[in-house]
């Protein structure tokens, strides 16, 4: 059990380093505010972590049986990426391209645009 835990810690640490390197490589420091960089980095990290959780989950189940901690990790990754993909990132994208002068105005404009698309999606289903 300790071996899988150490493997998970090493993998997640390397994944965090990879996410930071990718952010450093691809972002434009002059144009991208730090809070957007942090949100995008978190989204990348969580998206990639599912790829690492799958083999850990299989190894845990084969050698030691089901684990509640891995189930909890799966749920955390799933719901975090769900909220990022359907709430935070679309609002952030619309706010970035909104024509308002203040961030408060941009966020309100982005929420209105996304609310319209969510309502349309709920109606058309």
């Amino acid at each position: 059990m300790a071996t899988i835990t150490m493997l998970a810690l090493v993998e997640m640490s390397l994944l965090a380093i990879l996410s930071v390197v990718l952010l450093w490589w691809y972002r434009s420091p002059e144009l991208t505010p730090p809070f957007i960089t942090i949100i995008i980095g978190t989204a990348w990290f969580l998206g990639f972590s599912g790829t690492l959780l799958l083999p850990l989950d299989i190894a845990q189940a084969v050698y030691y049986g089901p684990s509640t901690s891995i189930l909890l990790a799966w749920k955390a990754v799933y719901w975090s990426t769900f909220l990022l993909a359907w709430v935070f990132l679309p609002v952030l994208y619309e706010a970035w391209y909104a024509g308002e002068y203040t961030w408060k105005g941009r966020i309100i404009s982005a929420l209105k645009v996304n609310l319209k698309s969510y309502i349309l999606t709920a109606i058309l289903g």
Side-chain angles (χ1 to χ4, degrees):
M1 180 95 158
T3 306
I4 290 179
T5 305
M6 286 303 296
L7 180 63
L9 289 174
V10 169
E11 286 180 347
M12 291 299 173
S13 299
L14 290 173
L15 181 59
I17 292 168
L18 175 68
S19 297
V20 169
V21 168
L22 285 172
L23 278 172
W24 176 79
W25 183 263
Y26 286 110
R27 91 174 184 111
S28 174
E30 302 85 26
L31 299 176
T32 310
F35 74 93
I36 290 179
T37 304
I38 291 169
I39 292 173
I40 297 299
T42 303
W44 284 359
F45 176 78
L46 289 171
F48 292 144
S49 66
T51 307
L52 297 179
L53 273 175
L54 182 61
L56 288 174
D57 191 9
I58 293 170
Q60 174 72 29
V62 167
Y63 294 113
Y64 302 107
S67 170
T68 56
S69 60
I70 291 184
L71 177 63
L72 182 64
W74 273 117
K75 288 181 180 182
V77 167
Y78 176 81
W79 286 110
S80 300
T81 54
F82 180 85
L83 288 174
L84 279 168
W86 287 98
V87 178
F88 294 113
L89 294 177
V91 169
L92 205 57
Y93 176 80
E94 290 293 334
W96 184 257
Y97 289 108
E100 305 293 328
Y101 292 112
T102 64
W103 271 104
K104 182 180 178 183
R106 288 178 173 204
I107 296 293
I108 290 171
S109 175
L111 287 171
K112 287 178 184 177
V113 168
N114 281 296
L115 186 60
K116 288 177 189 176
S117 67
Y118 296 148
I119 290 172
L120 188 62
T121 302
I123 291 171
L124 296 178

